Every structure is written in C-alpha cells, then in structure tokens.
Amino acid sequence: MCGIVGYVGHGAAVPFLVDGLKKLEYRGYDSAGIVVQNGGSLEGRKRLGRLQELESVLSGLQTGNTGIGHTRWATHGRPSDENSHPHYDCGGRIAVVHNGIIENFLEIREWLAVNGHVFRSQTDTEVVPHLIEHYYQGDLEEAVRKALSHLRGSYALAVVSADEPGKVIGVQQDSPMIVGLGQGEFFLASDIPALLDRTRDVLILQDGEMAILSQDGVQVKDFSGQLIERTPFRVPWDAVMAEKQGYNHFMLKEIHEQPRALRDTLRGRISRDGTRVVLADVGLSPVAARAIERVMVVGCGTAYHAGLVGRFLFERLAQLDAQADLASEFRYRSPLLDEGTLLVVVSQSGETADTLAALREGRRRGAKVLAITNVVGSSAAREADYVLYTWAGPEVAVASTKAYTTQLVAVSLLAAYLAQERATMPPEDLHRFLQGLQLLPNQVEAVLACEEQTRRLAEQITKSDDAFFIGRGLDYAVAMEGQLKLKEISYIHAEAYAAGELKHGTLALIEEGVPVVALATQRHVWEKMLSNITVVQARGAYVLTLAPQGLTEAAQVSDEVIYLPPVDDLLAPAVAVIPLQLLSYYVSVARGCDVDKPRNLAKSVTVE
C-alpha cells in the first residue's frame, strides 16, 4: 500500500509532489522518490526513510512542470534506495511509480533479461518501465497499453517519458487512482488527501481504465483505447477526514479495508485452478516442509491470538504436533526445540521485542524460523529462515484489525501448504479449503453489512463495567481477540473463557445484565455451545450470539443474534471477528474514548 502523486500544469511540479506525498505518507513510509521532466530528460531523486530524507536532496530539482512521486510500503525487495520508486527503463527515458503487486513479474523479468534489459532493483515494479520501453515507438499511451496486456495482479501506475513532455499517464487495476481537475493544472493521486489543497473536483478511475493528463486536459480511456465519459465528483470532506476516506477514525477505515487486505494477501498464492497453494515467495521448499516434525507459534497480543488459530490448523490440516505460546513467556520456560521444529513468529511490525527474542532463542536451539509479518525488511523478516508476508498495508490505529485477519489468512495458507506437501489432506478436501479461502474477502464484505446492528448493540455494553466472551475450539481463540479489542479501546474489563469451563468457577461472575458475547460457528460443538449459552442466560446475562445462518436455535437462547454468512468452520475466525471489531469500536466511541490512540498503548512494542 503506497502513495502515488502526479502533476501536469504550468506551475512547478516539485512543490505539489512533495506536499502530496506528505498527505499520503500514512499509506507508506519506508522510502520516497520523485521524478520531473526537465527539458528533454528526466531528473529524479529517491531515498530510503521518511519523506524528510527525500526533501534533504531536492535542491536543484525545482524546475519542470510535469512529474510523478511515490511514498513506499515495501512488498517486493527490502526498503533501500535502489528499491525505492520511481523505477526506470534501461535508458532512463521512461519512469514509473506503482502501488500493488505484479504477480507474474518473475516470468516477465526473465523474458526481458533475455531480450537485453538490465535490472537494478529487486522489485516487481521495475518490469513495467522495461516493458513500456520494449513497446515504445513514439507513442507512450500505446506502449503503456501493450505493456498492460502482460501484467497480472493489482496495480495503480503513474508513467512519464522524457520523449513526451507535459504528459502523465495513470492506470488503475484493483488499486485506486484519482485524477484532480484544477485551473490549468491537473493532478494524479492514489488517494484524495493529496489533492485537496489544490482542488476538490476529481475523476475516480475504475478498474481497467487509464487517464492521460496533459496541459490541455484529461482523457479517460479503457485498456483497449476506447474513450470514456466520466462526470467529476466534488469532494465534501476536509483534509483530515479525507485521510480517513470519510471515516471518523482510522480504526473504522481499517476495519472496512479488510476485504482488500485479504485479497492482496491471497493474491498469487493459490494456483489459478484453485487446487494448490503456491508459496514460492516464502522460500520453504517441499523437501523442507516434509522434514518438519512439529510447529511452535509465538506472538504477542493480537498476533498470539492469530497463533492460537494457527495451532488448530496445523494440527487439523497438516497433522503436526503444534503449540502456541506468548512470545514474552517463550524463552523463559526452556522450550523443547530442535532441527525438526518450525518456529512460526507472528508480528505485524516485525520489530516486537519479545517476538524477536523468541525468534533468536529458537534459532539458538536449532529450530527453523518462519516469520509472518507485514513489513518487508523488518528485523523478523531479515533474521528468519523463511518469510510469509501479509499485505495489509500500514495500520495507523493502535488496535489491530486488518493485520489480524491477514495473519489468519497467512497461517491458513501455511497450514494448507504443509498439508499439501505432506499429503495429509485428500486433494478434494484441500481444493474445498482453498476455495473457502478465496471466498473470504467477499464473506467479510457481507458481514460488514451488520455494522448498523453492532452500533445498536453497543449501547447495551457501553453501560457495563464488565463483559465476557465465550466459545469453543476456534471460537475460543476468536473470543480471546474479541475481549482484547473491547478492553484496549473502551477500557471496559473483559475476559474470554472456553465455554466448557464455565461450570468450573467462572459462572460465579455471571450476574443480572452482564453482557456475554457467545461465538457459535463450529458445527461439531453447536449443541454443547447452545447449552453453555442457556446456562449464562439463566443467570440473567445479556447474551449476544454470533452464529452462522441456519442456526435458528441461537435466537431461542440469546437476547440478540448476529448471523454470519456461510463459511468453512476452519475459516470462520476471519469472518466472526468482524462484528467483534465493530462492536468494540462503537462501544469506545459511545464512551468518548480515543479510539485510534488508546491510553498507555503503543502500536509496536519494541522494548521488553
């Protein structure tokens, strides 16, 4: 998830490019760069680090009235000067910035290399300017169109050429791109905040469309070259609201970004016929996968809760002995690890101090380490033997939402891959599971429709000092995440319990009116779960149950039911957690808490 800006007009390009990137820095911040047309050449600067690092080298680059810029959140290639955008063709005559993932970049890169092209980075993006160069014969628009025919994946692109001054081409395919309409100047951006200081009139591109910006105006065409009429949209938001795309808080925005984040994390990791897991980017070979004898998953907070789901999947799918542990406790209990152990460390930032300490302890004891992280080039990614990246993009709110659900997808992919290579699942069962994974983004979109219901239900919990979450099996793991969300942003005391443990002491805490959130997504324990719900309701609890469509009995033993779309039991956590995130959000808002920055908490805990 990166920020893109572009400018064509009669003014200087650099001031807008820099200001626009500042407005988009929340979308990515490991490196930044810009390029402008100066006479018949391109002149650019790019630097590793935050935007101020780029600003420090911009002296002498104040001329030119056409240019593009980029702030990066790394996907392919660790953060570095050479992997920063823009990327160029062999002659430095064509420059491209890119947001998204080119799934087939390796095969394109190999083909281009055979045809004499020389690459300077490890990114997927760099194949694009070389493809355009390959097809360029004096018409940039046509060369871009031909290059696009080779690309698979998600991408927003901005392209300039030294040979066609005063022109910027923007492209959208599964990654947003917006055109701003000014007075004698036109703008390109991946998000609205970059434009608001210059214009509120925008054209919003659709997938399969490209915009050609010149000093004469803007044309929108489809990928075949057909002209498209598009009515401008007047942006009603102020600059602060625009960063949040109209949402009141980053947390709510990030909850709604989850379908996109899940699609990106799945992209290219399941074969096109849907029958096999493809984890070529991870580095864990089939031979290495078959040598694994046990799996240990460690993480902190939300990442640990994702690990609890992972433990269940490694056992069920790959038939491996699996354990999950808190990273902060792991190295203090003399864990039994050896060369047959795969230690899976889960960390959104890849910099969590306790998780890194567990990683190092695991390696010291001879285990192979696989990191699941959202940040390319992070310490966990550098120090692990294998890396499975989630593509959630930057997460601004302290309370994790899209990082958690993409971690669930990551452990699901890994468990399915181990099952595939160890032949512990019949092919038809594996195919069915992978089909379920591919449906998850749409199912999450469907469950987001319950938002108004959760807003109403939040009123009941807002008045309480305590709340309890109960579930069995995978539902218990989700209950752990649900109670954490509620207490970290609303400051209500919350606890999660395995529902079967209620009669072993916990039931003493249930009194009249206390909220109990019950998860009942696991078919093999429905009867037992409904019995547990009946027990707490009989003691006066206010019961909110999450259940799949069709489990009508839930309404008979609950005060309220949120019905979830049909989903494979093993994949239900990614769907069931959505109402819990929304519930916590609306309780926090109702209590007047600082949703995005809860007291005493930091986004990434880099000290013990």
Side-chain angles (χ1 to χ4, degrees), residues 249 251-252 397-399 489 491 585 588-589 593-598:
H249 298 91
M251 181 180 176
L252 186 59
V398 166
I489 64 171
Y491 316 141
Y585 170 79
S588 179
V589 169
C593 302
D594 189 341
V595 175
D596 289 333
K597 298 178 181 178

Side-chain angles (χ1 to χ4, degrees), residues 1-2 30 72-79 374-377 389 391:
M1 191 174 186
C2 312
D30 62 48
R72 183 176 189 242
W73 178 265
T75 55
H76 293 74
R78 61 182 295 179
N374 193 38
V375 182
V376 175
Y389 287 113
W391 302 128

Side-chain angles (χ1 to χ4, degrees), residues 75-77 98 101-113 119 121-128 131 150-153 281:
T75 55
H76 293 74
H98 165 225
I101 299 171
I102 307 298
E103 294 176 13
N104 59 333
F105 84 100
L106 285 175
E107 61 189 72
I108 295 173
R109 185 178 176 122
E110 290 173 3
W111 178 76
L112 287 167
F119 293 87
S121 78
Q122 291 78 51
T123 68
D124 56 334
T125 303
E126 196 181 359
V127 301
V128 181
L131 265 179
H150 292 272
L151 304 182
R152 292 200 310 267
D281 59 322

Side-chain angles (χ1 to χ4, degrees), residues 196-449:
L196 287 186
D197 286 348
R198 300 293 189 102
T199 182
R200 288 179 178 268
D201 296 316
V202 304
L203 300 174
I204 300 176
L205 297 187
Q206 305 299 318
D207 289 344
E209 293 182 354
M210 57 195 298
I212 300 92
L213 285 65
S214 70
Q215 293 182 349
D216 297 325
V218 176
Q219 290 183 318
V220 178
K221 299 182 180 181
D222 64 22
F223 284 3
S224 69
Q226 186 70 34
L227 199 62
I228 297 170
E229 294 295 330
R230 182 62 44 78
T231 303
F233 167 70
R234 182 77 176 176
V235 179
W237 309 323
D238 61 25
V240 174
M241 283 297 289
E243 281 193 13
K244 301 170 185 172
Q245 295 179 345
Y247 295 104
N248 289 327
H249 298 91
F250 277 108
M251 181 180 176
L252 186 59
K253 171 178 174 283
E254 289 159 6
I255 288 173
H256 281 267
E257 285 178 340
Q258 288 176 110
R260 189 275 311 160
L262 296 180
R263 288 188 182 100
D264 285 350
T265 300
L266 286 166
R267 196 181 304 280
R269 288 171 167 165
I270 296 175
S271 64
R272 301 183 83 177
D273 64 2
T275 62
R276 294 185 62 79
V277 184
V278 181
L279 295 184
D281 59 322
V282 174
L284 179 62
S285 70
V287 171
R290 289 191 287 270
I292 295 168
E293 298 172 0
R294 68 194 64 82
V295 179
M296 172 66 72
V297 192
V298 296
C300 296
T302 287
Y304 167 64
H305 299 155
L308 291 174
V309 174
R311 176 190 65 181
F312 195 100
L313 294 175
F314 294 130
E315 289 178 341
R316 178 71 68 87
L317 302 185
Q319 297 179 19
L320 281 164
D321 175 30
Q323 300 294 326
D325 203 356
L326 291 162
S328 57
E329 295 290 327
F330 177 75
R331 64 194 173 114
Y332 299 112
R333 65 172 185 82
S334 298
L336 300 177
L337 307 175
D338 57 25
E339 62 276 4
T341 304
L342 180 67
L343 176 64
V344 179
V345 297
V346 186
S347 170
Q348 186 279 141
S349 67
E351 302 294 348
T352 309
D354 288 317
T355 306
L356 289 176
L359 183 159
R360 291 159 187 160
E361 179 67 10
R363 296 204 68 175
R364 189 183 71 81
R365 290 175 178 264
K368 290 293 185 181
V369 179
L370 185 147
I372 294 176
T373 183
N374 193 38
V375 182
V376 175
S378 60
S379 296
R382 293 195 308 271
E383 296 183 32
D385 299 286
Y386 319 110
V387 186
L388 176 50
Y389 287 113
T390 58
W391 302 128
E395 195 173 56
V396 177
V398 166
S400 180
T401 52
K402 60 180 181 174
Y404 172 71
T405 50
T406 55
Q407 287 165 357
L408 294 183
V409 164
V411 296
S412 299
L413 284 167
L414 179 58
Y417 176 72
L418 294 177
Q420 169 184 293
E421 300 306 327
R422 293 168 53 81
T424 56
M425 287 181 77
E428 60 273 19
D429 290 349
L430 177 62
H431 186 197
R432 191 178 307 112
F433 182 78
L434 297 182
Q435 284 180 314
L437 266 175
Q438 291 175 304
L439 289 173
L440 272 183
N442 290 340
Q443 290 167 328
V444 169
E445 283 180 340
V447 82
L448 282 168

